[in-house]
Amino acid sequence: MSIFKHHAKLETNVFFLAVGILLSVIVGGLVEVVPLFTIESTIEKVDGVRPYSPLEQKGRDIYVREGCYLCHSQMVRPFKDEVERYGHYSLAAESKYDHPFQWGSKRTGPDLARVGGKYTNDWHVRHLINPRDVVPESVMPGYPHLKRELDYSTIDADMKALRVVGVPYTDEQIANAKKDLVEQATSDDASAAVAGRYPKARMGSADANPKVTELDAMVAYLQVLGTMVDFTTVKPEKIAR
Amino acid sequence: MASMEKDSVSGQYTTGHEWDGIRELNTPLPKWWVYVFWATVIWSIAYWVAMPAWPTINDYSRGVLGYASRNELESDIKAQKQARSKFEAKIAAISVDDVVKDKDLRNFAMTGGKVLFNDNCAPCHGTGGVGAPGAYPNLADDEWIWGGELADLKQTISFGVRNTNENSRQSEMPKFGADGLLTAEQINQVADYVVALSSKGSTAGLPGEAIFAEQCVVCHQDGGVGSKDVGSPALNNNIWLFKGSKEQVKQVVINQVTNPQHGSMPAWSERLDETSIKMLTVYVHSLGGGK
């Protein structure tokens, strides 16, 4: 154990001590961070996951702005009870276009990772305006201010920024962002161009207001959560990871 | 560097370190602590070998035990299916009518159905199915829009109402007011008639009667008894789908005839398996109004 005797040299010399600290921090950092850039096994290869449509993306921004993540997680963990209640456990692939992801860690309310399609637009609107109108025992706050008109003036710039961090929006999608956003929020036509660019997008106005409101955006976002991957055909256990 | 030497006061060895003449006694850690420390080190090495631990450039070390939480889940679910199969396999194999007849199966279905109801249905239909006035129908009374027989309930729950599922129940009441099929005066008259009908009052001589016969009877039937084939609710009782707690009945009728609202419910076969839907059917049927 004679090398331990020399640690006094390290401890009593500021330069050596700093180099020693730096080296150990670098090793820790490399081991944690480097594999994430190259690891192939974290994100499953599944079909169906697409970037959010402009309207959904705005809804997601409002979700973050209002702090919904403080009470709701978006992560069905691979546990029996959770899978039984919420549906298939979440895949890493399902949040690969989320910046940042909304997995969360606090569940005052239920997990929302698979809430898409569970309720109708009408229910979401009533519930967001005043949860106690539909769920008398709810402790969720009301969000009646979401009735206001949606400001989507920066949506194309937002999408460009997301593209920089890896969301594969095409030039066509960015060029049509505003048009697509309005179309999704106002048209019930399932063959509209926006539905072609973003399969499974929930079409139509959520509230009674013909203008594009924050409610429209929020509900479009909630309705797509967890619906992109078709688990009747995708079997993640069978996918090589 | 000074060498280790005995401290004359305490009789203990020093560490040999000296700073400005101050020296430190060497008080070793207790033995038990050192053993525990080395035990955790050995444990961690064993853990790295046994369990998934180290990231590699494009994979990770799987560990000799081959543990994965997703595999564990799979076997957990299998074990649970096994445990419940005594009941679930039977429920899956027979019709809902037969499930209700078998006491044990019925009890099992009621318990499971209640849990499923609270998770999926109560947000709209309320705890115990009491409904939300003005929005979602009460399932605990014996008034049914789409029918209260087991088969009707199963159909409604599986495919829902006015959604995008191809088997969904569909129907639409015409926009009599908004599309100019009836004048405001006629709507007022027919509303008076429906109010009288619903409160079991006298309808004799009301001008709305003729309008009702001409425009509404196709769907709401003679005497306003309703039809479960087109989901047109009975109008000859005081149960209202679209009446909030503060609204007047007449206003509700006028609104509905002018620009109708339509309820919509998701198709639960898209989310839940057949056995769950059977259990829900048994539970809803038991709430009070099953026919």
Side-chain angles (χ1 to χ4, degrees):
Chain A
M1 288 289 184
S2 63
I3 58 161
F4 287 135
K5 294 227 168 89
H6 299 299
H7 69 104
K9 283 204 185 92
L10 204 72
E11 282 179 33
T12 51
N13 183 311
V14 171
F15 177 76
F16 287 134
L17 189 66
V19 169
I21 291 174
L22 197 68
L23 280 178
S24 46
V25 169
I26 284 178
V27 170
L30 286 180
V31 165
E32 285 185 11
V33 176
V34 166
L36 293 183
F37 288 109
T38 49
I39 201 164
E40 313 273 80
S41 58
T42 319
I43 299 180
E44 309 84 351
K45 290 176 194 61
V46 291
D47 290 335
V49 183
R50 59 152 171 83
Y52 292 114
S53 77
L55 187 65
E56 292 156 8
Q57 181 60 41
K58 282 314 282 186
R60 192 181 171 286
D61 291 348
I62 300 170
Y63 184 93
V64 174
R65 183 192 74 197
E66 299 294 342
C68 309
Y69 56 82
L70 292 167
C71 288
H72 290 287
S73 58
Q74 286 188 27
M75 158 62 78
V76 185
R77 295 172 293 176
F79 301 145
K80 188 182 65 187
D81 301 348
E82 298 210 359
V83 167
E84 210 167 271
R85 173 166 181 189
Y86 298 116
H88 201 288
Y89 57 79
S90 297
L91 303 180
E94 290 181 284
S95 41
K96 67 178 169 179
Y97 298 139
D98 271 334
H99 292 281
F101 60 73
Q102 297 298 314
W103 298 345
S105 57
K106 177 79 176 77
R107 283 183 182 163
T108 302
D111 187 88
L112 298 181
R114 302 243 172 265
V115 83
K118 186 179 179 198
Y119 304 117
T120 51
N121 289 357
D122 167 72
W123 183 86
H124 280 298
V125 168
R126 288 175 199 268
H127 184 252
L128 284 168
I129 291 172
N130 181 14
R132 268 130 329 262
D133 281 352
V134 282
V135 183
E137 48 286 71
S138 179
V139 296
M140 172 165 145
Y143 295 86
H145 53 281
L146 299 185
K147 286 187 210 163
R148 68 186 166 211
E149 251 184 273
L150 178 72
D151 172 9
Y152 54 90
S153 51
T154 59
I155 183 62
D156 34 10
D158 293 350
M159 287 162 70
K160 271 188 210 144
L162 284 167
R163 184 155 76 176
V164 174
V165 293
V167 182
Y169 282 118
T170 62
D171 289 338
E172 185 203 356
Q173 285 173 322
I174 292 176
N176 287 294
K178 287 186 178 139
K179 201 174 119 278
D180 283 351
L181 184 145
V182 175
E183 196 171 30
Q184 188 183 351
T186 52
S187 154
D188 282 324
D189 182 4
S191 61
V194 57
R197 274 191 276 274
Y198 305 94
K200 296 198 185 171
R202 243 325 150 110
M203 298 296 296
S205 176
D207 52 12
N209 189 340
K211 298 214 178 90
V212 183
T213 60
E214 296 195 340
L215 277 171
D216 289 334
M218 176 63 95
V219 174
Y221 170 63
L222 291 171
Q223 292 287 28
V224 84
L225 285 180
T227 63
M228 290 185 193
V229 177
D230 178 1
F231 284 100
T232 55
T233 54
V234 171
K235 294 276 172 268
E237 312 82 83
K238 307 274 165 350
I239 297 171
R241 283 204 304 143
Chain B
M1 196 173 89
S3 60
M4 308 218 330
E5 55 193 42
K6 226 178 195 153
D7 172 54
S8 53
V9 181
S10 64
Q12 217 174 319
Y13 278 102
T14 68
T15 57
H17 301 174
E18 182 175 341
W19 290 272
D20 298 340
I22 300 171
R23 276 168 291 160
E24 187 189 7
L25 292 182
N26 184 13
T27 316
L29 289 160
K31 280 267 178 336
W32 67 265
W33 194 98
V34 176
Y35 291 142
V36 170
F37 173 72
W38 284 111
T40 59
V41 170
I42 292 164
W43 173 262
S44 77
I45 292 168
Y47 197 90
W48 293 336
V49 175
M51 302 292 274
W54 290 97
T56 57
I57 289 303
N58 45 27
D59 201 6
Y60 57 87
S61 66
R62 309 269 157 165
V64 293
L65 296 183
Y67 174 86
S69 56
R70 293 179 180 186
N71 297 346
E72 190 184 19
L73 170 73
E74 221 177 325
S75 57
D76 278 359
I77 289 181
K78 225 180 242 159
Q80 184 172 43
K81 275 225 176 87
Q82 190 69 35
R84 290 180 185 168
S85 66
K86 188 169 157 237
F87 295 110
E88 284 193 342
K90 275 195 210 147
I91 293 180
I94 62 178
S95 74
V96 218
D97 297 80
D98 292 335
V99 174
V100 178
K101 279 178 208 143
D102 182 319
K103 193 167 151 280
D104 287 345
L105 289 185
R106 185 172 180 281
N107 281 343
F108 182 84
M110 286 288 296
T111 314
K114 183 171 181 186
V115 173
L116 286 161
F117 192 89
N118 287 341
D119 273 353
N120 297 294
C121 324
C124 288
H125 292 292
T127 312
V130 295
Y136 302 109
N138 186 333
L139 303 179
D141 60 8
D142 54 6
E143 184 62 30
W144 296 99
I145 306 172
W146 298 99
E149 314 258 351
L150 284 166
D152 299 329
L153 294 175
K154 181 155 177 271
Q155 177 76 14
T156 311
I157 298 168
S158 301
F159 303 112
V161 183
R162 298 187 190 93
N163 58 48
T164 51
N165 190 292
E166 53 179 9
N167 294 317
S168 155
R169 296 196 185 270
Q170 299 285 356
S171 72
E172 203 178 334
M173 174 161 155
K175 299 186 175 84
F176 291 100
D179 287 350
L181 304 173
L182 293 174
T183 63
E185 175 58 19
Q186 285 171 311
I187 291 175
N188 196 37
Q189 289 170 349
V190 83
D192 279 333
Y193 175 78
V194 172
V195 170
L197 203 60
S198 66
S199 56
K200 318 271 189 225
S202 161
T203 55
L206 286 178
E209 183 160 21
I211 306 170
F212 191 84
E214 199 174 299
Q215 304 286 357
C216 320
V217 162
V218 252
C219 296
H220 292 283
Q221 307 293 312
D222 271 334
V225 295
S227 158
K228 64 173 200 176
D229 298 331
V230 292
S232 51
L235 303 178
N236 64 346
N237 60 26
N238 226 336
I239 298 170
W240 301 99
L241 184 53
F242 296 126
K243 184 180 163 313
S245 42
K246 291 188 202 78
E247 284 166 311
Q248 296 291 314
V249 173
K250 184 166 172 190
Q251 196 53 47
V252 172
V253 181
I254 292 178
N255 292 349
Q256 181 71 7
V257 177
T258 308
N259 197 2
Q261 271 182 275
H262 289 98
S264 144
M265 172 164 109
W268 293 95
S269 58
E270 291 171 5
R271 258 190 118 83
L272 305 174
D273 62 21
E274 176 77 6
T275 315
S276 302
I277 288 185
K278 283 184 177 167
M279 297 203 284
L280 275 166
T281 305
V282 173
Y283 176 74
V284 172
H285 189 257
S286 77
L287 286 177
K291 297 220 158 127

